[in-house]
Amino acid sequence: MKEIIRQMALSAGADICGFANIDRFKDAPKGYSPTDIYQDCKSVLAIGVAIPRGLSLVNPQLIYGHFNELACPIVDQILFKLARMIESKYDGYAIPIPSDSPVGFWNETTKTAHGLLSMKHIGVLAGIGFMGKNTILCNEQFGNQITVGALLLTHDLPSDELCQNHCLPQCHKCIDNCPAHAIREDGTVDQKRCREHTYKTTFRNIGTVECNVCRMGCPLKFGVKTKIS
């Protein structure tokens, strides 16, 4: 059943798909476990959609910012379609979770946001990637050029194998080169510093992305087999 659903996800437009049984979320922070949203969740399906690698070659301000943002509704549409497919084929329910907004928490003073669930942590637990020092999910094939979404399932499916962490121990490029000095050695990010440096608006109030150094400067940005120096 799990492999059939995986193929359904790929046929619906996902580039990668993984599964995490609910037992992997036993250490999730209070309020951010799948069962806090739906108490009968038995497993979580994670998908990833890769953005074009060419977006790494241009100024991130408008082109990268536009299409990186566009990836979120694309993922949500795949989740919506996939949920319908699963419910049509099997008994039980599939609940799509928004890949980005609406956020579940926002602190205006610290500019700290949390999604309804942490997609990057779901990605790790479902075996589709590992966490880089930049706190961005990195996939072996697509690097950190992915947008992640999730379905909560009432089907008790086994977890996929966790992904090996390929983050280079001696590499600290994301930390050293962050213009806002927002990435900490302990694996956390000062969101206030990051947001105030990264997100601006034009005179017509169009949102811009001024910086993606932590993502595009990573040696594993295109995957494990395409490391850059």
Side-chain angles (χ1 to χ4, degrees), residues 154-169:
T154 55
H155 313 87
D156 192 4
L157 301 176
S159 298
D160 284 345
E161 184 178 350
L162 294 175
C163 183
Q164 178 184 347
N165 193 321
H166 296 275
C167 197
L168 308 174

Side-chain angles (χ1 to χ4, degrees), residues 10-28:
L10 299 177
S11 69
D15 290 308
I16 47 179
C17 175
F19 295 83
N21 191 272
I22 196 61
D23 60 6
R24 281 195 173 165
F25 294 87
K26 61 182 183 300
D27 296 324

Side-chain angles (χ1 to χ4, degrees), residues 33-105:
S33 170
T35 52
D36 291 320
I37 293 178
Y38 182 60
Q39 63 178 2
D40 292 328
C41 176
K42 297 294 190 297
S43 61
V44 179
L45 176 154
I47 65 166
V49 171
I51 64 173
R53 292 189 298 174
L55 293 176
S56 68
L57 305 177
V58 298
N59 185 308
Q61 204 173 51
L62 294 171
I63 299 175
Y64 165 85
H66 173 78
F67 285 104
N68 188 49
E69 184 176 337
L70 180 64
C72 294
I74 290 175
V75 169
D76 289 348
Q77 289 172 15
I78 294 172
L79 293 172
F80 186 92
K81 179 180 179 181
L82 182 59
R84 292 288 306 277
M85 294 169 67
I86 293 172
E87 291 181 345
S88 176
K89 188 173 181 63
Y90 299 105
D91 291 334
Y93 300 98
I95 301 170
I97 303 299
S99 61
D100 184 32
S101 60
V103 297
F105 170 86

Side-chain angles (χ1 to χ4, degrees), residues 162-197:
L162 294 175
C163 183
Q164 178 184 347
N165 193 321
H166 296 275
C167 197
L168 308 174
Q170 73 278 12
C171 179
H172 296 85
K173 285 187 175 183
C174 57
I175 298 172
D176 297 339
N177 295 326
C178 176
H181 305 290
I183 305 175
R184 306 184 181 104
E185 293 280 356
D186 65 357
T188 62
V189 171
D190 186 323
Q191 291 195 32
K192 188 173 190 295
R193 286 188 177 186
C194 176
R195 292 181 191 279
E196 291 180 347
H197 174 79

Side-chain angles (χ1 to χ4, degrees), residues 16 41 58 91 96 104 138 142 144-145 175 180 212 215 220 222 224:
I16 47 179
C41 176
V58 298
D91 291 334
C138 188
F142 297 103
N144 60 29
Q145 312 294 297
I175 298 172
N212 60 0
R215 191 177 199 180
L220 303 179
F222 293 149
V224 175

Side-chain angles (χ1 to χ4, degrees), residues 90-158:
Y90 299 105
D91 291 334
Y93 300 98
I95 301 170
I97 303 299
S99 61
D100 184 32
S101 60
V103 297
F105 170 86
W106 172 253
N107 184 309
E108 179 62 28
T109 301
T110 63
K111 306 294 183 184
T112 301
H114 301 301
L116 298 175
L117 295 174
S118 172
M119 290 299 154
K120 58 188 179 183
H121 287 93
I122 287 176
V124 170
L125 294 177
I128 66 171
F130 56 93
M131 200 76 73
K133 297 185 183 73
N134 52 15
T135 76
I136 300 175
L137 184 72
C138 188
N139 173 261
E140 291 181 338
Q141 180 180 358
F142 297 103
N144 60 29
Q145 312 294 297
I146 55 173
T147 300
V148 179
L151 288 180
L152 309 187
L153 303 175
T154 55
H155 313 87
D156 192 4
L157 301 176

